[in-house]
Amino acid sequence: MTDSIALGESGKTASGRSLPTWAVHAITIGLAAISLLLGFGFWADWFTSIDRIVCTICVAVGLIISISQSWWNTDKPTRVVAPGLLWSFSAIFVGIAVATSRPKFYAIALGLSVAGWFAAQMKGESVGNAIAIGLALMVPALVKAFEERNAFASIESIAVSVTSGLADVFAQSHFREGNTLYFGYGIADQFSCVGKWDSIVTFLGISLLCVFAFRRSLVSGLATCSLAFFVWIAVRAAAWVVLSLIVSSTEQNNESGPIAVMHWNTTLEVSLFLIGALLIVSLDQLFSSFLAPIPIEFINPDFPLVAISWNSIVGLPNLNPEVPSRAIEIEDFNEDDLE
């Protein structure tokens, strides 16, 4: 199945119509301008915290790397159907945002309009790559949807439970009250998913940087994005338990009495952000190696179904896995040999 309509030598589609470059630019600029102007309040609110700014920078860097590696190939026919559908959905989401007064839909409309432009202009790449670029602009809407559904509150509760369990492993006396852990000489209460240097939003930005910069496939990209949540919980829990161990050790070695403070400051937040970034990049490399397609030379031509199925899954959205072919040799023979 193809996502474009073949063009003739004159630059026209099979139906005799063409999609001029100026029309591609005009439609995209118009839809993007409407989405930005009507959703200005949403975007202004997005850039009010440090974690969202860091996430935006990471996504922007990943997109720049991805776009610079893309194959534009202007000799190929211009797509018409895919950009048209993306722009149509963008206009629909603008209408939904106006009708429901939900500004996050403007971010979705902006992403779809930009995806339509890349689908039309990036002729050497699949439409899936263009849609992925558009999805990057929808990250604020995704974060907002998580907040509205109290998903972050659930993750914070899980982080507290993991920290409590890890403290039990190291025999650190504590008790829990809501999303706060009370240790012998300190309170662990920094479990917010947003608004901090080491929040889930910044970790998500690092994950998206890896996805775009290394051009991960759909399955590998989803695995990398999920790392943001697991790494955030693991790093946060380990940090609090280490702090409790330091305080406990100081209490035992300090003759003048214990130090009843567990410090949590910006320096620690930045340090945990860097540690989390290193873990996400390392795990992304691990997952991408595990989810790599099987090379065609290692596929058994007699039983190729399993290997081809695996390559089809890990290669999404590309739906053209290589199929091995058996080499057939026919020896020359003489007609006299048949008599």
Side-chain angles (χ1 to χ4, degrees), residues 250-259:
T250 304
E251 173 195 357
Q252 296 174 3
N253 298 327
N254 190 1
E255 297 179 355
S256 61
I259 300 177

Side-chain angles (χ1 to χ4, degrees), residues 121-336:
Q121 296 294 105
M122 198 177 291
K123 304 172 186 177
E125 298 285 346
S126 67
V127 175
N129 188 51
I131 294 176
I133 294 175
L135 287 174
L137 300 177
M138 304 179 196
V139 171
L142 175 65
V143 173
K144 185 66 176 178
F146 269 91
E147 291 178 350
E148 292 177 350
R149 289 159 178 76
N150 295 321
F152 286 148
S154 300
I155 296 173
E156 291 170 5
S157 180
I158 294 173
V160 176
S161 300
V162 172
T163 305
S164 178
L166 192 60
D168 289 334
V169 171
F170 288 92
Q172 294 297 298
S173 178
H174 67 282
F175 70 92
R176 176 177 177 175
E177 183 177 318
N179 280 351
T180 301
L181 295 177
Y182 293 91
F183 290 85
Y185 297 99
I187 301 174
D189 57 352
Q190 299 292 328
F191 289 100
S192 175
C193 288
V194 294
K196 302 291 184 180
W197 261 96
D198 58 334
S199 73
I200 281 184
V201 179
T202 57
F203 283 19
L204 180 61
I206 295 296
S207 297
L208 291 172
L209 171 61
C210 294
V211 171
F212 290 115
F214 300 126
R215 300 178 67 111
R216 300 302 186 204
S217 62
L218 177 61
V219 177
S220 180
L222 290 175
T224 299
C225 290
S226 66
L227 291 175
F229 302 92
F230 295 106
V231 171
W232 181 84
I233 293 173
V235 169
R236 185 60 59 111
W240 273 120
V241 173
V242 168
L243 284 177
S244 70
L245 290 171
I246 293 174
V247 172
S248 177
S249 176
T250 304
E251 173 195 357
Q252 296 174 3
N253 298 327
N254 190 1
E255 297 179 355
S256 61
I259 300 177
V261 177
M262 293 172 62
H263 296 286
W264 191 276
N265 49 40
T266 303
T267 301
L268 180 59
E269 289 180 3
V270 175
S271 300
L272 293 180
F273 165 70
L274 295 176
I275 293 173
L278 179 61
L279 287 174
I280 289 175
V281 173
S282 301
L283 291 173
D284 169 71
Q285 296 294 324
L286 177 63
F287 275 102
S288 65
S289 299
F290 176 74
L291 295 173
I294 300 173
I296 189 68
E297 59 268 19
F298 295 126
I299 299 178
N300 186 349
D302 295 325
F303 304 99
L305 181 59
V306 175
I308 294 175
S309 300
W310 170 262
N311 288 356
S312 300
I313 293 174
V314 301
L316 292 173
N318 181 17
L319 297 176
N320 297 311
E322 293 186 82
V323 179
S325 58
R326 180 184 297 279
I328 301 176
E329 297 182 358
I330 301 177
E331 297 181 357
D332 295 333
F333 60 91
N334 298 322
E335 296 182 358
D336 297 337

